[in-house]
Amino acid sequence: MNKENRIHSAALRSKVMSANEAASLIQSGMNVGMSGFTGSGYPKAVPSALAKHIMDANLNGKRFKIGVWTGASTAPELDGALAMVDGIEMRLPYQSDPTCRKRINAGEMEYIDIHLSHVAQFVWFGFLGKLDVAVVEVAGILEDGRLIPSSSIGNNKTWLDQADKVILEVNSWQSAQLEGMHDIWYGTQLPPNRQPIPLVRSSDRIGEPYLRCDPDKVIAVVETHAPDRNSAFSPPDANSKLIAGHILEFLQYEVKKGRLPRELLPLQSGVGNIANAVMAGLNEGPFENLTAYTEVLQDGMLEMLKSGKLASASATAFSLSNEALAELNADLARYRERIILRPQEISNHPEVIRRLGVIAMNGMIEADIYGNVNSTHVMGSQIMNGIGGSGDFARNAYLSIFMTPSQAKGGTISCIVPMASHVDHTEHDVQVLVTEQGLADLRGLSPKQRAKTIIENCAHPNFRPALSDYYKRALQFSPGKQTPHLLDEVFDWHLRALRGERM
Ligand code: COA
C-alpha cells in the first residue's frame, strides 16, 4: 500500500485509527450520512468494517441496523456490504446496488427515493430526523483542518455540517491534483432568509475549493488507498447510436429554427450507456464550444473535454471507466481548469437549471402514449434504481428529453405503453421522447396529438398496431375525451408481461 501523508492537521492526525476501530463508534439505530455519488468518492474501509460488526452482532442474536444516507449510488464495498448483512433499515436517496435492490423489492429494506436536490435541504429542514454520524471520504486535510474533497461532492457539505460526529476517510489513491477543482458554496440559508444563488454561467465559481468541518466533531480519521468503482461503459450499440442520431438531428433543427444558440445551452446527461452514447454522438457532431451543467461526468463528456468540443463541465461527481480515469489523472491540472465539482444541491438546483436553460437528457423505463414517464419502477412495483436527478432537471430544463430503446427484454416488452405503471415525470415535464425508432417532439401538443405522435414516432413496429388499436378504441369508448383511456384494460400489457407473456 502506497500511503502518502495527506493529513496536515496535527489535531486530526492525532485521531487516526483503523477502520475497524472507527466502525465500532457507529451504533445500531444511528442515521449515517455517507459520501459517495455514482460510484465515486464513497468511503472504502469503514462501511465494510461496519458490515463485519453487524454480522458479528447478528451471529450473537442481536439486531443491528442503521439508516444509510448518501449522495447517490455507491459501490459493493458500501451498499453491497451493508445490504449483504441486512444492516440497512432505511436507505436514501438513489441507489443502484443489486443486493440493495433485491432487499428493497423483497420488502426487507425501506427505501425513500428523493429528488437529489431535495436531500440536503430536507436534512436542514429536519424532515428526515437526526443525522448521527457522517462518514466522508476526502482527498486530503489541510493544516487548518479544511478538507480537500474527493472525486464526488454529493451531500458531503450537509453531512459535515449536520452530523453530530464525523469520521473522515483520507484516500491517498485519489489524485492530490483534485485540489482546486471543487466549488463549495456556503451561502445556503433556510427560508425565509434564502438569497439567489449567484451562478449565471455554468462555469462560474461561486464558493471555495474546500469543505469546512468542525475538528471537535471528528471522532476518527482513517487512512485508505483504494480505487473508486470505475465501471466500464459498453461501446454504443446500434440502438444507442440511432437514439443519439435522432437527438443530434433535433438539436440541429432547433438551432436552424433559432430556438437554440449554435453552441446550444448547457447539457445535462443522465446515467448509463445511452447517455454516454449521446455524448459520443455530440463529440462527432457539428456543435462547438459546448458547455455542461450536469450531475455526473461520464466517459463521453471527458472525451468531449479532451477533443475540445466541450469547453467546460460542471457536475457533482465523476463516474468514469478505468481508461477514462487514467486519461483524467494524466492531465488533471489542465482538466481542473474546465471541470467544476459542486454540492448536489447546487449541481441539481431548480433555480440554477431554470436560469441556465439546461438541455436535460435522461433515460427511462417506459413512457405512456401521453408522455408520462416511468424512470424507476419495473412493472409498477419493482424499484430499479431511483429518480436520481432526473426530476430536478426535467421539470426545470429549457428542453427535457427522455430516451429509451423502444422494447426491452428481447422484444417481449414495449417501452411505450397505454398507461405508465408508475409515473416519475408527468406529461407536463416531458417535452421530447426518443427511441431508436424516432423522436416525438411533444411541445405545444394536446394529449391526443401527443398520443398519435408518440405511437407513430417512438413505438416499435411490433407493438405499434396494438397501441394504435388501443388508442382508437379509447377515443371511441372513453367517457372523457381529453386524455382517453379504457380503465378496465389499461394495465393489461403489464399483466401479460408479469405472466411471462409478450406484452
Ligand atoms: N420493462 C421492464 N424492464 C425494463 C424496461 C421495461 N420497460 N426498460 C428497461 N428495462 C430493464 C432493462 O431490461 C435492463 O434490465 P437488465 O439490467 O436486467 O438487463 C434495465 O431495465 C436497465 O435498462 P437499460 O436499457 O440497460 O437502460 P439504462 O442503463 O439506460 O437505464 C434507467 C435506464 C431508467 C434504469 C436509468 O436511466 C435510471 O436509473 N434512470 C433514473 C435516474 C436518472 O435518470 N438519473 C439521471 C439523472 S442526472
Side-chain angles (χ1 to χ4, degrees):
M1 203 194 275
N2 165 29
K3 279 186 191 164
E4 57 185 273
N5 180 21
R6 297 277 185 97
I7 307 169
H8 298 289
S9 148
L12 292 181
R13 174 144 281 286
S14 71
K15 298 185 181 179
V16 170
M17 61 181 78
S18 70
N20 188 36
E21 288 168 307
S24 69
L25 303 171
I26 298 173
Q27 312 295 319
S28 181
M30 284 182 163
N31 286 325
V32 185
M34 308 255 192
S35 62
F37 200 108
T38 51
S40 62
Y42 55 91
K44 313 289 189 295
V46 173
S48 311
L50 178 62
K52 288 203 191 81
H53 288 256
I54 292 174
M55 198 165 61
D56 289 347
N58 290 345
L59 289 173
N60 288 319
K62 289 193 198 125
R63 193 174 182 277
F64 193 141
K65 286 192 183 224
I66 58 165
V68 176
W69 307 353
T70 62
S73 56
T74 64
E77 305 97 292
L78 196 167
D79 273 318
L82 291 172
M84 199 75 82
V85 295
D86 199 8
I88 306 180
E89 178 72 40
M90 170 69 80
R91 175 73 174 84
L92 66 92
Y94 185 87
Q95 60 75 44
S96 63
D97 181 80
T99 315
C100 270
R101 186 183 295 137
K102 213 163 141 195
R103 286 221 184 265
I104 295 166
N105 285 324
E108 297 161 356
M109 186 195 293
E110 296 302 318
Y111 175 47
I112 310 180
D113 189 19
I114 311 180
H115 292 301
L116 293 186
S117 74
H118 279 178
V119 182
Q121 68 166 11
F122 278 13
V123 176
W124 283 97
F125 295 166
F127 288 0
L128 301 176
K130 184 154 134 333
L131 183 63
D132 299 289
V133 186
V135 184
V136 173
E137 179 182 279
V138 295
I141 303 178
L142 302 184
E143 218 175 320
D144 62 10
R146 283 178 300 162
L147 310 172
I148 303 169
S150 181
S151 48
S152 68
I153 305 242
N155 287 313
N156 294 352
K157 171 185 162 289
T158 297
W159 297 165
L160 294 167
D161 285 345
Q162 287 281 303
D164 286 349
K165 294 173 179 152
V166 172
I167 297 173
L168 297 173
E169 280 199 12
V170 184
N171 187 357
S172 57
W173 177 87
Q174 299 287 2
S175 170
Q177 304 219 37
L178 283 170
E179 184 172 359
M181 178 180 272
H182 311 88
D183 187 57
I184 317 290
W185 191 55
Y186 277 92
T188 50
Q189 298 284 341
L190 293 180
N193 299 318
R194 280 194 167 154
Q195 298 294 316
I197 299 168
L199 202 158
V200 292
R201 292 269 175 269
S202 56
S203 56
D204 284 350
R205 286 182 178 274
I206 57 171
E208 55 199 64
Y210 305 108
L211 286 159
R212 304 175 193 165
C213 177
D214 173 0
D216 292 342
K217 290 207 300 193
V218 178
I219 51 169
V221 178
V222 177
E223 290 176 286
T224 63
H225 187 83
D228 277 332
R229 187 181 70 194
N230 298 122
S231 330
F233 291 92
S234 340
D237 62 8
N239 277 346
S240 306
K241 282 188 185 160
L242 286 167
I243 289 172
H246 297 316
I247 293 179
L248 244 78
E249 201 182 313
F250 170 74
L251 294 175
Q252 278 174 271
Y253 181 73
E254 289 301 294
V255 173
K256 211 168 111 195
K257 282 280 180 189
R259 290 191 287 246
L260 277 176
R262 285 151 73 92
E263 66 284 4
L264 305 180
L265 287 165
L267 305 168
Q268 177 261 332
S269 161
V271 287
N273 290 318
I274 296 183
N276 209 42
V278 172
M279 291 300 116
L282 280 165
N283 202 22
E284 282 152 27
F287 307 111
E288 305 289 340
N289 215 15
L290 298 168
T291 53
Y293 196 80
T294 192
E295 177 185 294
V296 187
L297 203 152
Q298 299 190 146
D299 285 23
M301 267 194 190
L302 193 75
E303 253 329 289
M304 288 172 73
L305 282 164
K306 188 179 167 193
S307 72
K309 286 270 180 188
L310 194 61
S312 65
S314 163
T316 191
F318 288 105
S319 185
L320 299 173
S321 66
N322 281 321
E323 294 72 39
L325 179 73
E327 160 68 33
L328 175 77
N329 279 342
D331 214 358
L332 197 49
R334 261 178 3 104
Y335 279 118
R336 204 174 48 207
E337 318 259 289
R338 294 155 66 205
I339 298 175
I340 305 169
L341 296 187
R342 313 177 189 278
Q344 71 192 62
E345 63 190 310
I346 304 297
S347 67
N348 287 32
H349 203 291
E351 172 193 330
V352 181
I353 293 164
R354 181 74 69 98
R355 180 180 301 135
L356 296 177
V358 170
I359 301 174
M361 296 175 279
N362 289 295
M364 63 177 179
I365 285 173
E366 63 183 7
D368 67 28
I369 55 174
Y370 297 111
N372 298 288
V373 163
N374 172 6
S375 294
T376 56
H377 286 70
V378 172
M379 300 297 147
S381 69
Q382 300 155 51
I383 193 77
M384 176 56 76
N385 303 321
I387 192 166
S390 55
D392 296 323
F393 285 95
R395 171 150 298 176
N396 302 293
Y398 181 86
L399 266 176
S400 155
I401 302 173
F402 281 93
M403 51 210 182
T404 179
S406 64
Q407 334 180 83
K409 303 291 175 204
T412 54
I413 289 177
S414 173
C415 297
I416 307 296
V417 291
M419 184 183 269
S421 58
H422 174 95
V423 177
D424 295 288
H425 312 289
T426 71
E427 56 181 304
H428 316 287
D429 298 333
V430 179
Q431 288 140 10
V432 177
L433 282 184
V434 197
T435 69
E436 81 289 350
Q437 298 297 320
L439 181 144
D441 179 0
L442 306 173
R443 292 171 300 170
L445 300 188
S446 72
K448 292 193 287 294
Q449 293 166 330
R450 288 164 81 98
K452 282 186 73 176
T453 311
I454 292 171
I455 296 170
E456 277 164 26
N457 295 7
C458 297
H460 192 278
N462 290 346
F463 291 103
R464 202 176 289 145
L467 281 169
S468 297
D469 173 63
Y470 171 83
Y471 175 64
K472 276 187 203 135
R473 287 183 298 107
L475 209 50
Q476 197 177 352
F477 300 115
S478 172
K481 307 296 182 206
Q482 167 65 4
T483 307
H485 265 309
L486 302 172
L487 292 186
D488 54 347
E489 66 173 85
V490 83
F491 291 126
D492 280 3
W493 291 49
H494 297 90
L495 291 169
R496 279 201 293 277
L498 283 168
R499 288 196 298 266
E501 300 163 14
R502 190 172 172 275
M503 254 189 178

